[in-house]
Amino acid sequence: MSDRGIIGLALLAALLGQGFLSAAAPASAQILNFASQNSEAAIEIYADDGIEWQQDNMIFLARGNANAVRGDVAVHADLLRAHYQENNGGDTVIKRLDAVGHVRIVTPTETAYGEKGVYDIDNAIFVLSGGKVRLVAGEDEITADRQLEYWELKQMAVARGNAQAVRANKKLRANVLVAYFRKTSKGKNEIHRIEAFESVRMETAGEKVTADRSVYNVKSGIATLTGSVTIIRGSNRLDGCSAKMNLNTGISTLYSCSPSQAGGKRVHGLIKPSNVKKK
């Protein structure tokens, strides 16, 4: 067997032992689920310009249209860099994997994009950065200008920097968006709550809303907003300190400030009759 083939098998064995990629995911499963699975599926590595083993630096490099594939899940990049250590038994243990250039993480129905990706295996954190990072999953799309993180142990994803979540005619923007996952009875991950922080802006087909913070319950469709809330519908405007919006029914309720907030300022509304003719 050639040296290149031996190096390739060593890298495959190390990645497989660490469970870098999840097993083949069902079409409805969430992307960015890097938890180790009880699977015997092999990880395959492809690279147009070969795989290099830097023993002194303890790094494996796969260059040129590099791909790491396991089942229906794949990581694509111009370069994949695996940092490893050797344990007392002499086994190779991957500590971190870097993906550089045109990074894509792909399942049959979801794709995440970025220019750089870093997977911290010890802490089970994957970070995409570089330009506008993007996650497309069916009808949902999340983008951010700074980075997209997936915290496996905490089961949450964080989008930072002009973050935006879009589905159909609904948009949620903020400096930071945090999506929390939980497993269904069938063992699949699903988003059950989204929190938005700083400069929150929400748009539906008929309303535009601003606030300091928002918590959205996906199942109930209820968004709880706090901090200088403004709801605009057409030429009508409502201002208050907090609000509850049911995005499923279209019913919104605005609340006054407490005595400790803005001196107990009451809700204010500006309603413009539609039958008033302009002079």
Side-chain angles (χ1 to χ4, degrees):
M1 181 178 290
S2 66
D3 290 343
R4 177 175 173 182
I6 293 173
I7 294 170
L9 289 177
L11 179 57
L12 293 181
L15 290 173
L16 182 57
Q18 287 298 315
F20 165 64
L21 293 175
S22 64
S28 59
Q30 295 292 332
I31 195 173
L32 299 180
N33 181 12
F34 292 96
S36 297
Q37 306 277 331
N38 292 325
S39 173
E40 296 180 358
I43 295 175
E44 299 179 80
I45 303 293
Y46 304 91
D48 290 350
D49 299 331
I51 299 174
E52 178 182 314
W53 186 4
Q54 298 181 1
Q55 297 184 56
D56 290 342
N57 297 324
M58 304 183 79
I59 292 175
F60 290 111
L61 291 176
R63 287 193 176 96
N65 188 28
N67 307 316
V69 181
R70 186 181 188 185
D72 289 334
V73 183
V75 175
H76 305 269
D78 295 339
L79 179 146
L80 293 175
R81 182 188 298 114
H83 301 260
Y84 70 91
Q85 294 179 355
E86 292 182 352
N87 60 25
N88 293 333
D91 296 328
T92 300
V93 180
I94 301 297
K95 307 296 289 184
R96 191 180 86 232
L97 186 94
D98 302 337
V100 181
H102 303 93
V103 179
R104 288 181 297 130
I105 307 170
V106 181
T107 73
T109 57
E110 297 96 8
T111 306
Y113 302 86
E115 282 302 308
K116 296 180 181 178
V118 177
Y119 182 43
D120 181 341
I121 294 173
D122 285 344
N123 296 305
I125 301 171
F126 192 89
V127 180
L128 279 172
S129 62
K132 185 176 286 294
V133 293
R134 184 163 59 106
L135 169 63
V136 179
E139 298 179 88
D140 301 310
E141 181 173 350
I142 297 176
T143 60
D145 289 346
R146 182 180 168 190
Q147 67 184 35
L148 178 68
E149 309 162 12
Y150 182 76
W151 296 64
E152 180 181 350
L153 300 181
K154 295 183 178 181
Q155 285 292 283
M156 71 179 188
V158 183
R160 301 181 187 274
N162 191 29
Q164 177 176 269
V166 178
R167 181 170 188 176
N169 57 3
K170 300 174 184 177
K171 296 180 181 179
L172 177 61
R173 295 188 181 99
N175 287 345
V176 179
L177 291 178
V178 182
Y180 292 89
F181 301 84
R182 65 184 176 191
K183 289 189 179 297
T184 66
S185 58
K186 297 181 179 180
K188 300 176 182 178
N189 282 342
E190 65 177 8
I191 297 176
H192 71 97
R193 188 171 85 251
I194 300 176
E195 296 184 5
F197 301 89
E198 301 177 7
S199 303
V200 177
R201 292 160 290 166
M202 184 181 296
E203 295 182 17
T204 67
E207 294 178 320
K208 294 183 179 180
V209 184
T210 61
D212 295 334
R213 181 178 177 181
S214 172
V215 178
Y216 175 54
N217 186 297
V218 175
K219 186 175 181 180
S220 67
I222 295 177
T224 302
L225 303 106
T226 56
S228 302
V229 179
T230 297
I231 301 175
I232 298 176
R233 179 177 292 176
S235 58
N236 303 323
R237 171 173 174 155
L238 296 175
D239 296 285
C241 274
S242 62
K244 281 190 177 181
M245 299 180 61
N246 191 319
L247 302 184
N248 293 338
T249 64
I251 298 175
S252 302
T253 305
L254 199 65
Y255 299 96
S256 301
C257 302
S258 66
S260 61
Q261 294 176 308
K265 185 178 180 180
R266 295 188 298 171
V267 173
H268 175 263
L270 180 62
I271 311 299
K272 295 184 179 180
S274 59
N275 60 350
V276 175
K277 296 182 179 179
K278 294 182 179 180
K279 293 183 181 180

